[in-house]
Amino acid sequence: MEYSLFIVALPFIIFLALGLSGKKLKPVAAGIIGTLGMALCAVAAYFVAYQYFFQIGKTGESWQSITALNFQWLHFTNKLHIDLGILLDPISVMMLMVITTVSLMVHIYSLGYMKGEKGFQRYYALLSLFSFSMLGLVVATNIFQMYIFWELVGVSSYSLIGFYYTKPSAVSASKKAFIVTRFADLGFLIGILILSYYTKTFDFAALTADKASLVTSSFAGGTFMGLSLATWALALIFMGGAGKSAMFPLHIWLPDAMEGPTPVSALIHAATMVVAGVYLVARLFPVYFFAAPDVLEMIAYIGAFTALFAAVIAITQTDIKRVLAFSTISQIAYMMVALGVSGYGDHDGLGYMASMFHLFTHAFFKALLFLGAGSVIHAVHSNEMSAMGGLHKYMKITSITFFIACLAIAGIWPFSGFFSKDEILAAAFHHQPVIFWTLWIIAGLTAFYMFRLYFCIFWNGKREYHHKPHESKAPMAIPLIILAVFSIFTGFIPFADFISSDNKPFHTHIDPLVATLSIAVAVIGICVAFVLYFKDSKQPARIAQKMGGFYTATLHKFYLDEIWMWITQTVIFRYICVPIKWFDRHIIDGSMDGLAWITQKSSTAIRGLQSGQVQFYAWVFIAGTILIAGLVLFL
């Protein structure tokens, strides 16, 4: 299956072509080239999936890992070397379909949404770069190749978030995203180095083979500060995943990243980039489960807290893209929790399968929500709910598709989110009841804030619009319809037949008790949102007033941005950076300046030896001869 290289290479070629052509290429041509290229990638990805899942992927009762391409790039020792290649297995093939599908929808949508924008060619070039980076990440054969593409994803997302580079808030948001994720990636790199130092390999196949026996044997007995070295290495690797997937407290970059164009939000921050951390933990799941189960438990609790924290904040936000941003944080955390409560093999691995299933379904309905929000913003020229209302009369397609996405994310049967979220709740129910009830509450909050958003945009009140809103044209409407179809039907895929923690298919069924509880709490959330927001009402304002300081805190995102700014400016800048600056200026620079001063004075003192006067040279020669002769006679 070497032809799968085409899926990764084509976006990079398009990036170079569009980037180097610049303004020489007409905007329409740049958009068409980028879109057609991604369409070819999507077709190839679906063909790879068909060939893998239905022809050659299964050996006996297990799905095999196929190394379609691999070559050595950097050689350190006979065992330790960095390779570049393409690994095809159930989760990488699934991610190929997700990335190319969502990216293609964004490319098509952007033909209408970004029409007339300055830098249209640059925009499509950066979309291709991002797609290339994400595709290279998911097919990596080893953890260092993943790290390389991981950083490329960071660079391309930085460029896309700051696309409107003349807008100070966009520049600030792009820098914030880059710095926060780089801080997390430092931990990722240290973890990789510790892991490779002891195991002598970067290769995923070697690390995960035989229930991660290489890792458990390599780290046997090694401890640091009371924790095993394997725990330290895998916790640091998770730190990189927590930064990319916006887990608390490294989530602060994601809401501000909404400053980029709305299609970028759909591509980067709903469907692909933010799930990179989930994919990382899933890729190394056998290593986490067998070598560091305590880290896996930590991931479950961090995910549960992050999901609740983000859901509470989403309830009070008024910018529609920020509501969706915190929704993304909460849903990604759901996936992390599923991995954290998962066992290994057969039905014990339900959480692993559920996490990947929710990643798959969430990609489509969250991309639909962002693109639907972009359609609304395009119509009313505002992100604020207060500037919206009654849009169902003007934007039928957007209203219906947005409603479908809200039902999906709320977990209402038979929409896709119900099936994937139900499996996560079932896994938590059987492994950790406390986490289950936390996720159950979050399910109700999710239904509430999503339908609050839907009712405020499309129903609540009659707004006076300066320009009559209208439905988006075909390039924007068609992706909404396609994603709505995916949001309805992808839940019926028998996901456990294709993806599991040990690559062996198993049968799942809906747990009646869990399903009843999840639907009940979702319906309650929708009903409360209906009562409060379907029509203009003063009741939400009264409730907010009664909530007092808690409401204010949630509105300001619990002041996490302010706390981070205080830590950065007061602690890091004043107590770390200032002493380092003094040491650099007075010790490092002082040493160099002192050495230069000594050199200058010495050279000034001895420069007479090179005066060019023959008499002086003769005098030095005679004096030296006499001195040497005297020393010889004396000794």
Side-chain angles (χ1 to χ4, degrees), residues 295-327:
V295 178
L296 208 56
E297 184 177 1
M298 177 191 73
I299 290 171
Y301 283 102
I302 290 175
F305 177 79
T306 302
L308 179 61
F309 178 83
V312 170
I313 293 175
I315 291 172
T316 61
Q317 299 304 298
T318 58
D319 182 318
I320 62 174
K321 288 177 67 176
R322 289 183 184 274
V323 174
L324 296 178
F326 281 103
S327 171

Side-chain angles (χ1 to χ4, degrees), residues 263-593:
V264 168
S265 302
L267 177 62
I268 299 179
H269 308 291
T272 52
M273 174 182 170
V274 290
V275 299
V278 179
Y279 182 80
L280 170 65
V281 177
R283 173 57 72 198
L284 291 173
F285 183 78
V287 182
Y288 276 99
F289 185 80
F290 292 106
D294 46 347
V295 178
L296 208 56
E297 184 177 1
M298 177 191 73
I299 290 171
Y301 283 102
I302 290 175
F305 177 79
T306 302
L308 179 61
F309 178 83
V312 170
I313 293 175
I315 291 172
T316 61
Q317 299 304 298
T318 58
D319 182 318
I320 62 174
K321 288 177 67 176
R322 289 183 184 274
V323 174
L324 296 178
F326 281 103
S327 171
T328 297
I329 295 172
S330 184
Q331 295 301 304
I332 299 299
Y334 245 87
M335 301 170 203
M336 285 291 192
V337 172
L339 290 171
V341 299
S342 180
Y344 187 83
D346 200 19
H347 287 81
D348 290 334
L350 178 63
Y352 179 93
M353 185 281 296
S355 177
M356 296 296 98
F357 194 11
H358 199 55
L359 186 157
F360 183 75
T361 60
H362 173 264
F364 302 118
F365 58 70
K366 184 52 66 67
L368 175 56
L369 287 167
F370 268 108
L371 296 184
S375 183
V376 170
I377 294 168
H378 194 262
V380 302
H381 308 290
S382 175
N383 290 24
E384 290 293 325
M385 291 184 197
S386 58
M388 303 169 190
L391 288 175
H392 73 282
K393 295 180 295 185
Y394 309 104
M395 308 178 72
K396 296 292 185 182
I397 295 175
T398 303
S399 177
I400 294 170
T401 54
F402 202 92
F403 179 65
I404 290 170
C406 287
L407 289 171
I409 195 172
I412 301 298
W413 187 90
F415 298 90
S416 61
F418 163 78
F419 296 95
S420 56
K421 186 177 287 187
D422 183 76
E423 299 291 8
I424 293 176
L425 290 170
F429 184 77
H430 295 294
H431 286 82
Q432 184 51 268
V434 173
I435 290 180
F436 165 77
W437 290 111
T438 303
L439 296 184
W440 181 77
I441 293 170
I442 296 166
L445 295 176
T446 302
F448 171 74
Y449 68 68
M450 287 310 306
F451 275 87
R452 167 183 175 261
L453 179 65
Y454 173 71
F455 292 138
C456 286
I457 293 173
F458 295 103
W459 293 93
N460 185 331
K462 295 180 180 180
R463 299 289 182 266
E464 295 294 332
Y465 296 105
H466 295 294
H467 302 284
K468 185 178 179 181
H470 57 84
E471 185 58 82
S472 300
K473 294 182 180 179
M476 295 171 64
I478 290 173
L480 298 180
I481 296 169
I482 294 172
L483 289 170
V485 172
F486 276 93
S487 299
I488 295 170
F489 294 109
T490 51
F492 292 100
I493 296 173
F495 218 72
D497 289 348
F498 303 104
I499 291 178
S500 63
S501 57
D502 61 354
N503 288 331
K504 294 180 180 178
F506 66 97
H507 176 70
T508 61
H509 64 277
I510 294 174
D511 187 315
L513 176 60
V514 173
T516 302
L517 288 171
S518 66
I519 291 177
V521 77
V523 170
I524 292 170
I526 294 170
C527 290
V528 174
F530 179 84
V531 171
L532 295 178
Y533 296 103
F534 186 75
K535 294 181 179 180
D536 270 333
S537 171
K538 294 182 180 179
Q539 193 64 24
R542 293 194 191 103
I543 295 173
Q545 190 174 8
K546 289 181 180 179
M547 298 287 285
F550 183 74
Y551 175 83
T552 305
T554 57
L555 186 63
H556 290 87
K557 298 165 284 187
F558 291 102
Y559 302 99
L560 257 295
D561 285 306
E562 289 78 3
I563 292 171
W564 272 110
M565 286 301 293
W566 179 82
I567 292 173
T568 303
Q569 294 180 355
T570 304
V571 178
I572 297 178
F573 288 176
R574 183 179 299 177
Y575 297 111
I576 298 177
C577 295
V578 170
I580 290 175
K581 179 183 176 182
W582 182 91
F583 182 83
D584 180 67
R585 180 170 294 177
H586 293 87
I587 304 301
I588 303 299
D589 289 354
S591 299
M592 295 300 101
D593 292 343

